[in-house]
């Protein structure tokens, strides 16, 4: 009986809304906006992807084509790594614009990842970026609130609700039915967006489509689906509770503003004050202090390296480093790289912990704010979230370290201790074939399960909200009919 | 009659909540703006100290070899933060306010980014410009959307009409009351800001205040126009909010999207590749051509020579470094051209949309816009060039490090000097106000047929 009511109310909402011209116009406008944003962002991403591929290839070729030379020259020649974006970035560009895109990897030091889009953008970027995710996360809920604020309250105001109840309907039927109708209306925006995204994925990047990507996309769609249902239920519930349509509208708009605009800003501003992150200069000073403590591998009188030298000479039972069976300079640099990387990573780890705490502050806000929760989930799944970026940085640093140490190893093994003496080929320089043997930077994206492990909390929050609202609607007998 | 309107306005809880929320949000933003300035200044102090200590240590380590010293030594240039940046942080939290560079090739150093949490950058700052551009219009909408409709729906409209002959005058008085009370809060905030953040009273601050007032006025003009249609409260709210969403969300986001679509910047990749090759491949090449190119760039340095047959000299080394910059210079110039184009496209488009225009204008008054970043980068180039040319002769003639007066190499400052272009600041807002008031006039008759 009730399921019948639900169907009737849902159909009634859908049919009456679709008869209204403004609703149809809005549907068209939103579909158009989403199409345009998906397509343009896809174009931008594809372009970017080509640039990354093209320049990465060039860097690799140049690396391999380096002539015979001393391996430490190669360690300074270093490598350029360009940040690849996950193919779903076109759906949600997340923090892409604020992330550096290229990093120069070389021995002895960790360079920043530079040239973010934001550093070449005007202040307008801070208003947000035109993307499907922005439209879906922020504006579609507003649309749902516009359409739904008076769905129950108006019926009460004009007395229809009274009649409906005398005909055997109850609150659960009314609320669920109207929620469903409103939800289906929202689906007229979301489903086309979904189909269009799928088409873009399928037709243009066939090589990138794999089960990982499809799982991410699948969960992305499910999450958004849940999110819209949440928003529809919220709109209907508020409409049912409010004394008047106007009151319902004001409440819903208040909720929207608070969720989308005010709470995230307050959370981050508070997070910044509570967990202040060091500026670049403060961080550099700390790193330098750590490095000074370690000693200076370039300084022959440095106590740490003096000690190292003595012990190496003792083990090999020789008097001078020239008599060692390996290249001592390379050995020292290897030790130096190890120590300085460790010191840097220790400092960076601390910085990351601060960022983590700051980001958790935002996640915490997500518990009372489904708009933040969906943002987190969406970014993570689209590969444009914080975890993905940090993973990229870590992989690049790992590659830098292995490059520097590989070159040190080559020097230790193949370069003579005595300048001008040769071990193989020409003195002091190595054959270029060694360069090609060092593998290219092979960036791997986080797996689906790693992403889930990062953002399960936000997913739970959305489910929790759904459950909470469900219970509210289910036990909503006390609402007023008249 | 007007007295009654005033009493009724201030007796309503919503009015107070609205005004108080602007005030508190504004105060909060001033506080955070103050923190931002403080941090920037703290960094500057750190940088001054760091540079001093660094030089001392390096001179101690390399008392003779000034070339080696300058291989390491970094010199800082500060992009002087304007006190107004506490009100409009703009792009200041994205690009660094201090760049520290050594005299080796600049291309590898000048794009160095700021260390920041990108998630927080995405969410953005809670600064005064945010409160003004985003938040205040919402309060204006909330206070005004049902100015007339509320009375109609509440049944007091006829009563109100019976008190006056001049309906339009009464509505205007109601609106002016709201307008002036919000202006009072705004001016109060700007006065508090002046003292709390020690902002000097100059042309720029005057322009900042005037733009703020004009922006608020624009929103009242919008409200005046919308209520002149005499829709229901809900419809008013919907229409006004749609306008807000359009101007404050869709338009700026669309402009950003269009800019990055029309002017992509692959040059950022090109410059790093070019500068890296330009320098590094010279190690494998004959020394003479590198040196020739260097002397061609700096004829005044022709007197210096690379010692014949030597494996290494600083002269040759810095000539190689120079090639990194020289070979990337075409790409680098291209990149700056692109940035200029981006600025122009954003600004020109924003002129037709008051919110976007206001944000950009406030940023630029606070020296916190993209133009400022570009100017700073160019100042950094000049700074680097001066340091280079100052030290090159010393390095090439092998002066001992200890003979240099290092005390004078303190942290340098760049301060943007720009004039206020009043017309360009204000006309888009005045035009917006004019259009709304004009459009409202077309609905004027409705005021008399209620």
């Amino acid at each position: 009986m009730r399921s019948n009511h639900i169907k009737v109310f849902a159909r009634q909402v859908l049919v009456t809304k679709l008869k209204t011209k403004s609703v149809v116009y809005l549907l068209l406008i939103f579909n158009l906006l989403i199409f345009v944003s998906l397509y343009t962002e896809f174009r931008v991403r594809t372009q970017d992807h080509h640039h990354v591929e093209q320049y990465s290839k060039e860097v690799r070729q140049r690396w391999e084509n380096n002539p015979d030379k001393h391996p430490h020259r190669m360690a300074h020649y270093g490598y350029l790594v360009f940040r690849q974006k996950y193919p779903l970035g076109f759906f949600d560009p997340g923090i892409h614009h604020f992330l550096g895109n290229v990093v120069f990897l070389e021995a002895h030091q960790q360079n920043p990842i530079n040239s973010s889009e934001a550093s070449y953008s005007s202040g307008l970027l801070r208003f947000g970026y035109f993307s499907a995710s922005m439209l879906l996360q922020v504006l579609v809920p507003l649309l749902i609130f516009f359409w739904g604020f008076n769905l129950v309250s108006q019926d009460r105001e004009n007395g229809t609700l009274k009649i409906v109840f005398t005909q055997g309907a109850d609150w659960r039927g009314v609320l669920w039915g109207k929620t469903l109708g409103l939800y289906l209306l929202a689906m007229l925006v979301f489903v086309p967006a979904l189909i269009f995204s799928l088409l873009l994925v399928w037709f243009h990047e066939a090589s990138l489509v794999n089960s990982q990507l499809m799982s991410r996309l699948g969960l992305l769609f499910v999450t958004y689906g849940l999110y819209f249902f949440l928003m529809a239920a919220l709109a209907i519930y508020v409409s049912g509770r409010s004394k008047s349509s106007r009151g319902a509208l004001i409440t819903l708009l208040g909720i929207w503003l608070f969720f989308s605009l005010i709470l995230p800003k307050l959370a981050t501003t508070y997070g910044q004050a509570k967990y202040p992150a060091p500026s670049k200069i403060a961080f550099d000073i700390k790193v330098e202090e750590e490095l000074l403590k370690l000693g200076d591998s370039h300084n022959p009188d440095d106590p740490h390296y003096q000690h190292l030298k003595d012990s190496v000479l003792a083990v090999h039972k020789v008097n001078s480093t020239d008599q060692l069976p390996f290249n001592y300079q390379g050995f020292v640099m290897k030790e130096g790289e190890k120590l300085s990387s460790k010191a840097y990573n220790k400092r960076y780890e601390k910085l990351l912990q601060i960022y983590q705490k700051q980001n958790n502050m935002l996640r915490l806000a997500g518990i009372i704010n489904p708009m933040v929760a969906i943002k987190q989930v969406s970014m993570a799944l689209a590969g444009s979230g914080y975890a993905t970026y940090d993973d990229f940085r870590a992989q690049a640093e790992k590659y830098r370290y292995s490059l520097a140490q590989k070159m040190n190893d080559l020097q230790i093994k193949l370069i003579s201790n005595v300048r001008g003496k040769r071990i193989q080929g020409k003195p002091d320089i190595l054959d270029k074939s060694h360069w090609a043997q060092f593998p290219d930077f092979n960036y791997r994206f986080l797996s689906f399960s790693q992403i889930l492990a990062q953002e399960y909390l936000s997913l739970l929050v959305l489910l929790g909200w759904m459950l909470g609202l469900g219970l509210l609607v289910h036990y909503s007998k006390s609402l007023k009919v008249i | 009659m007007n007295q009654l309107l005033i009493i009724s306005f201030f007796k309503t809880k919503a009015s107070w909540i609205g005004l108080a929320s602007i005030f508190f949000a504004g105060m909060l933003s001033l506080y955070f703006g103050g923190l931002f300035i403080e941090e920037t200044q703290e960094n500057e102090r750190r940088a001054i100290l760091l540079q001093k200590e660094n030089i001392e240590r390096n001179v101690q380590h390399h008392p003779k070899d000034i070339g080696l010293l300058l291989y390491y030594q970094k010199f800082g240039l500060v992009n002087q933060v304007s006190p107004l940046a506490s009100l409009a942080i703009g792009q200041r939290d994205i690009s660094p306010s201090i760049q520290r560079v050594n005299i080796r090739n600049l291309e590898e150093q000048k794009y160095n980014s700021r260390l920041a949490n990108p998630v927080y950058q995405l969410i953005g700052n809670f600064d005064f410009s945010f409160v003004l551009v985003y938040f205040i219009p919402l309060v204006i909408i909330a206070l005004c959307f049902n100015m007339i409709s509320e009375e109609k729906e509440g049944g007091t409209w006829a009563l109100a009409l019976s008190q006056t002959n001049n309906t339009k005058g009464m509505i205007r008085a109601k609106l002016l009351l709201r307008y002036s009370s919000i202006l009072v809060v705004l001016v109060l905030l700007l006065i508090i800001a002046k003292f709390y953040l020690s902002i000097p009273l100059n042309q720029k601050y005057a322009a900042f205040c005037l733009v703020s007032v004009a922006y608020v006025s624009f929103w009242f003009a919008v409200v005046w126009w919308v209520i002149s249609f005499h829709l229901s409260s809900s419809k008013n709210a919907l229409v006004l909010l749609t306008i807000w969403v359009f101007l404050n969300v869709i338009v700026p986001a669309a402009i950003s999207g269009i800019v990055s679509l029309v002017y992509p910047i692959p040059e950022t990749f090109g410059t790093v590749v070019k500068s890296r090759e330009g320098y590094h491949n010279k190690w494998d090449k004959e020394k003479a051509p590198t040196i020739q190119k260097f002397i061609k760039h700096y004829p005044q340095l022709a007197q210096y020579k690379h010692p014949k047959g030597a494996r290494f000299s600083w002269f040759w080394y810095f000539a190689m470094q120079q090639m990194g910059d020289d070979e990337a210079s075409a790409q680098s110039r291209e990149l700056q051209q692109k940035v200029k184009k981006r600025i122009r496209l954003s600004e020109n488009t924003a002129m037709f949309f008051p919110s976007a225009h206001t944000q950009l204008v406030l940023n630029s008054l606070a020296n916190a816009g993209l133009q400022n970043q570009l100017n700073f980068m160019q100042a950094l180039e000049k700074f680097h060039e001066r340091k280079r040319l100052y030290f090159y002769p010393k390095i090439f003639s092998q002066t001992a490090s200890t003979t240099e007066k290092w005390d004078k190499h303190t942290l340098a400052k760049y301060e943007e000097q720009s004039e206020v272009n009043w017309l360009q600041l204000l006309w888009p807002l005045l035009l917006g106000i004019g259009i709304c008031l004009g459009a409202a006039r077309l609905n004027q008759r409705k005021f008399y047929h209620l």
Side-chain angles (χ1 to χ4, degrees):
Chain A
M1 185 60 185
R2 186 179 294 138
S3 70
N4 247 345
H5 281 143
I6 291 177
K7 261 187 224 159
V8 170
F9 288 124
R11 187 177 305 136
Q12 179 235 348
V13 168
L14 209 55
V15 169
T16 44
K17 284 286 175 194
L18 286 179
K19 270 188 194 155
T20 320
K21 258 193 201 146
S22 71
V23 172
V24 179
Y25 288 147
L26 275 174
L27 276 175
L28 286 176
I29 290 171
F30 264 78
N31 270 305
L32 192 72
L33 283 177
I34 290 176
F35 280 168
V36 170
S37 60
L38 277 172
Y39 183 69
T40 51
E41 195 52 19
F42 186 80
R43 281 274 307 275
V44 171
R45 292 285 141 233
T46 316
Q47 223 172 30
D48 177 79
H49 181 73
H50 286 319
H51 289 146
V52 168
E53 282 212 320
Q54 175 200 331
Y55 281 102
S56 302
K57 218 161 141 191
E58 189 181 332
V59 165
R60 180 65 194 173
Q61 271 168 3
R62 286 179 186 273
W63 167 268
E64 290 183 4
N65 290 339
N66 260 279
D68 302 351
K69 61 167 88 177
H70 191 285
H72 195 58
R73 282 266 77 79
M74 282 307 272
H76 274 286
Y77 176 72
Y79 224 85
L80 287 169
V81 164
F82 304 94
R83 191 168 61 88
Q84 275 180 53
K85 286 96 191 161
Y86 198 73
L88 290 179
F90 73 92
F91 186 84
D92 186 348
I95 56 175
H96 274 332
H97 296 105
F98 298 91
L99 303 178
N101 287 310
V102 51
V103 57
F104 177 45
L105 307 174
E106 60 176 328
H108 311 308
Q109 64 174 348
Q110 290 79 355
N111 294 317
I113 308 178
N114 292 331
S115 294
S116 66
E117 176 74 19
S119 57
Y120 298 107
S121 297
S122 75
L124 295 182
L125 190 61
R126 309 318 273 284
F127 283 90
Y129 189 83
F130 198 64
S131 68
S133 63
M134 189 267 267
L135 291 163
L136 292 173
Q137 284 168 21
V138 182
L139 294 187
V140 172
L142 192 62
L143 200 61
I144 293 178
F145 290 174
F146 275 7
W147 284 337
F149 77 94
N150 60 1
L151 280 183
V152 185
S153 53
Q154 203 170 37
D155 281 0
R156 189 193 296 120
E157 280 160 356
N158 59 25
T160 0
L161 208 53
K162 207 163 42 184
I163 301 168
V164 166
F165 271 74
T166 54
Q167 288 175 345
D170 64 356
W171 271 117
R172 268 180 233 170
V174 172
L175 294 182
W176 281 131
K178 302 228 170 194
T179 301
L180 189 64
L182 189 57
Y183 180 66
L184 291 176
L185 202 61
M187 284 298 108
L188 293 180
V189 178
F190 181 53
V191 172
L194 189 153
I195 294 171
F196 195 58
S197 310
L198 272 177
L199 281 180
L200 284 175
V201 165
W202 247 303
F203 280 114
H204 292 264
E205 300 192 35
S207 62
L208 295 165
V209 180
N210 54 26
S211 63
Q212 286 276 330
L213 185 136
M214 292 320 286
S215 331
R216 282 181 185 229
L217 199 60
L219 186 59
L220 206 58
F221 290 158
V222 171
T223 317
Y224 273 96
L226 183 70
Y227 175 67
F228 293 135
F229 194 76
L230 202 77
M231 290 296 143
L234 187 66
I236 297 298
Y237 184 71
V238 169
S239 181
R241 281 208 65 112
S242 299
K243 274 183 236 154
S244 64
S245 295
R246 209 187 82 207
L249 181 65
I250 301 298
T251 312
L252 285 169
L253 293 184
I255 290 175
W256 180 80
L257 276 179
F258 187 69
F259 278 177
S260 68
L261 210 65
I262 297 172
L263 193 62
K265 285 241 188 206
L266 283 181
T268 51
T269 322
Y270 178 69
Q272 216 157 16
K274 188 160 162 69
Y275 305 111
S279 62
K280 180 147 169 48
I281 192 142
F283 180 77
D284 286 350
I285 290 173
K286 288 275 180 221
V287 171
E288 206 172 308
E289 277 170 9
E290 295 267 357
L291 294 182
L292 282 175
K293 266 191 264 166
L294 294 175
D296 179 1
S297 64
H298 284 99
N299 179 5
D301 302 325
D302 185 88
H304 176 85
Y305 289 95
Q306 192 64 46
H307 179 74
L308 182 77
K309 185 170 151 187
D310 292 343
S311 54
V312 170
L313 292 181
V315 168
H316 289 272
K317 298 195 178 73
V318 290
N319 300 326
S320 100
T321 51
D322 285 357
Q323 295 161 342
L324 288 170
F326 56 85
N327 183 292
Y328 181 67
Q329 209 194 355
F331 176 78
V332 167
M333 280 196 295
K334 188 172 180 183
E335 174 75 7
E337 189 68 58
K338 194 176 92 191
L339 291 177
S340 67
S341 295
K342 215 168 128 188
Y344 181 89
N345 287 340
K346 197 175 104 190
R347 272 289 142 197
Y348 204 88
E349 211 46 57
K350 280 195 181 144
L351 179 73
L352 285 186
Q353 277 166 14
I354 295 174
Y355 287 169
Q356 209 60 52
K357 278 182 193 154
Q358 289 189 340
N359 292 346
N360 282 341
M361 190 57 82
L362 194 62
R363 284 207 184 90
L364 215 62
I367 293 182
I368 49 169
N369 186 346
M371 282 191 173
V372 168
I374 183 95
K375 201 183 191 100
Q376 302 272 8
V377 177
S378 173
M379 283 198 296
L381 288 172
S384 56
Y386 182 76
T388 305
Y389 175 62
D390 189 49
D391 177 58
F392 167 76
R393 187 207 55 82
Q395 286 187 37
E397 168 55 18
K398 208 173 143 198
Y399 185 75
R400 184 200 72 79
Y401 185 74
S402 72
L403 184 147
Q405 295 301 50
K406 175 73 190 171
M407 294 303 125
N408 285 333
D409 285 337
L410 286 175
Q411 181 173 348
I412 292 171
K413 227 168 67 191
L414 300 174
I415 298 288
S416 164
N417 246 327
V418 186
R419 212 164 218 200
K421 214 174 134 188
R422 59 188 205 173
I423 293 178
Q424 57 172 55
K426 293 173 226 160
D428 296 334
I429 53 177
L430 290 187
D431 188 78
K432 63 178 284 193
S433 63
H434 287 285
W435 318 148
Q437 279 167 26
F438 185 72
D440 196 3
F441 177 67
N442 177 21
Y443 177 53
R444 264 156 311 152
F445 289 106
L446 287 175
S447 70
F448 182 58
S449 53
Q450 280 168 312
I451 292 286
L452 274 189
Q454 283 287 331
E455 288 306 338
Y456 70 97
L457 184 71
S458 303
L459 275 171
L460 283 180
V461 165
L462 287 174
L463 285 174
W465 262 82
M466 197 59 250
L467 198 71
L469 267 178
L471 288 174
L472 273 178
V473 171
H474 204 74
Y475 294 102
S476 53
K477 283 173 204 154
S478 60
L479 296 183
K480 289 198 179 78
V481 180
I482 308 168
Chain B
M1 179 66 198
N2 285 350
Q3 221 171 348
L4 287 177
L5 291 178
I6 295 172
I7 293 171
S8 104
F9 177 69
F10 286 110
K11 268 199 165 170
T12 324
K13 216 166 53 181
S15 317
W16 286 107
I17 293 175
L19 295 177
S21 66
I22 293 181
F23 183 72
F24 283 116
M27 289 303 282
L28 210 58
S29 77
L30 297 187
Y31 172 71
F32 290 123
L35 285 187
F36 179 78
I37 294 278
E38 234 169 71
E39 204 211 327
T40 314
Q41 286 164 347
E42 176 64 32
N43 282 333
E44 203 180 306
R45 278 194 291 277
R46 279 197 185 111
I48 291 173
L49 223 63
L50 178 69
Q51 183 152 329
K52 195 162 166 277
E53 286 172 5
N54 240 324
I55 288 179
E56 277 167 17
R57 196 164 47 235
N58 279 330
V59 174
Q60 205 188 350
H61 276 188
H62 317 288
K64 292 213 182 73
D65 195 346
I66 196 170
L68 189 58
L69 188 154
L70 289 164
Y71 172 92
Y72 290 110
Q73 185 57 51
K74 286 180 178 171
F75 302 98
L77 180 70
V78 175
N79 184 3
Q80 190 65 37
V81 65
S82 151
L84 279 179
S86 53
L87 300 182
I89 295 175
Q91 297 296 83
R92 281 277 178 165
D93 65 330
I94 287 182
S95 299
S97 288
I98 302 175
Q99 283 287 25
R100 294 161 60 232
V101 293
N102 55 44
I103 66 165
R104 286 181 269 156
N105 95 53
L106 180 63
E107 285 297 323
E108 274 182 17
Q109 307 178 72
K110 73 176 176 193
Y111 306 107
N112 277 352
S113 57
R114 197 186 177 95
L115 201 59
N117 183 349
V119 178
Y120 274 37
Q121 288 184 325
L122 172 72
I123 306 283
N125 288 300
F126 195 92
D127 61 358
F128 180 78
S129 72
F130 166 77
V131 174
L132 176 77
V133 174
Y134 250 76
F135 189 66
I136 293 184
L138 287 167
V139 177
I140 295 175
I141 292 172
L143 288 184
C144 302
F145 79 97
N146 59 356
M147 243 174 40
I148 311 172
S149 45
E150 175 190 48
E151 303 225 28
K152 279 194 198 162
E153 286 152 20
T156 51
W157 184 238
L159 203 64
L161 282 185
S162 70
Q163 302 293 315
T164 177
N165 295 325
N166 184 356
T167 330
K168 193 182 169 190
M170 188 190 72
I171 299 168
R172 191 188 281 151
K174 275 186 115 176
L175 195 70
L176 281 177
L177 183 60
R178 284 157 177 78
Y179 179 46
S180 47
S181 54
I182 284 188
L183 274 190
V184 166
V185 177
L186 179 70
V187 170
L188 188 65
L189 282 170
L190 287 168
I191 291 172
I192 293 173
K194 195 245 160 278
F195 290 102
Y196 175 61
L197 301 165
S198 1
I199 298 170
L201 281 179
N202 55 17
Q203 250 198 357
K204 289 207 168 171
Y205 187 56
F208 197 100
C209 295
L210 214 59
V211 169
S212 307
V213 170
Y215 179 70
V216 166
S217 312
F218 163 76
W219 276 101
F220 272 97
V222 171
V223 168
W224 177 244
W225 173 57
V226 172
I227 57 175
S228 73
F229 285 101
H230 290 273
L231 306 166
S232 68
S233 295
S234 299
K235 284 230 171 87
N236 273 341
L238 290 185
V239 171
L240 285 167
L241 204 70
T242 307
I243 295 175
W244 184 88
V245 166
F246 178 72
L247 288 180
N248 278 11
V249 182
I250 295 181
V251 166
I255 296 178
S256 295
I258 290 169
V259 167
S260 42
L261 187 72
V262 176
Y263 297 122
I265 36 174
E267 289 86 357
T268 53
F269 292 174
T271 43
V272 278
V273 172
K274 278 266 163 40
S275 74
R276 170 169 164 264
E277 280 314 307
Y279 157 54
H280 282 275
N281 67 21
K282 302 298 178 293
W283 284 95
D284 313 313
K285 292 188 174 162
E286 286 294 320
K287 295 184 174 70
T290 307
I291 289 170
Q292 268 163 18
K293 276 185 210 155
F294 183 65
I295 287 175
K296 204 175 158 209
H297 188 139
Y298 296 117
Q300 69 267 44
L301 297 173
Q303 47 175 309
Y304 300 102
K305 300 265 175 310
H306 174 73
K308 247 202 170 116
R311 280 169 67 113
F312 180 86
S313 78
W314 285 120
F315 184 57
W316 171 57
Y317 178 78
F318 281 104
M320 286 197 288
Q321 288 284 352
Q322 185 72 45
M323 295 306 111
D325 282 351
D326 286 3
E327 287 180 25
S329 75
Q331 291 268 349
S332 174
R333 266 202 304 276
E334 192 83 1
L335 178 60
Q336 294 197 357
Q337 285 308 320
K338 276 274 178 74
V339 174
K340 274 186 203 150
K341 281 181 190 161
R342 281 183 159 207
I343 294 172
R344 215 174 310 134
L345 182 60
S346 313
E347 281 180 354
N348 290 347
T349 324
M351 263 182 204
F352 301 96
F353 304 99
S355 303
H357 173 75
T358 304
Q359 181 71 64
L360 287 183
V361 158
L362 294 184
N363 286 354
S364 94
L365 283 172
N367 294 346
L370 185 56
Q371 183 66 52
N372 170 267
Q373 303 303 332
L374 186 63
N375 294 346
F376 178 53
M377 191 174 270
Q378 287 165 351
L380 186 70
E381 286 166 4
K382 287 199 190 106
F383 170 74
H384 184 260
E385 187 71 5
R386 274 202 306 277
K387 285 280 174 205
R388 248 180 187 170
L389 286 175
Y390 176 80
F391 282 116
Y392 276 167
K394 300 194 182 229
I395 300 171
F396 303 155
S397 59
Q398 293 168 351
T399 322
S401 312
T402 40
T403 59
E404 176 64 24
K405 286 199 180 72
W406 291 104
D407 294 349
K408 66 180 185 186
H409 295 284
T410 48
L411 197 67
K413 277 182 190 171
Y414 163 72
E415 192 164 4
E416 184 174 326
Q417 304 294 341
S418 54
E419 290 293 309
V420 176
N421 184 345
W422 294 92
L423 193 68
Q424 196 216 339
L425 289 186
L426 290 171
W427 81 255
L429 290 168
L430 296 178
L431 182 73
I433 294 171
I435 290 175
C436 290
L437 294 183
R441 258 192 113 75
L442 295 179
N443 292 335
Q444 197 176 34
R445 262 205 218 128
K446 288 194 183 170
F447 282 112
Y448 301 104
H449 299 276
L450 293 165

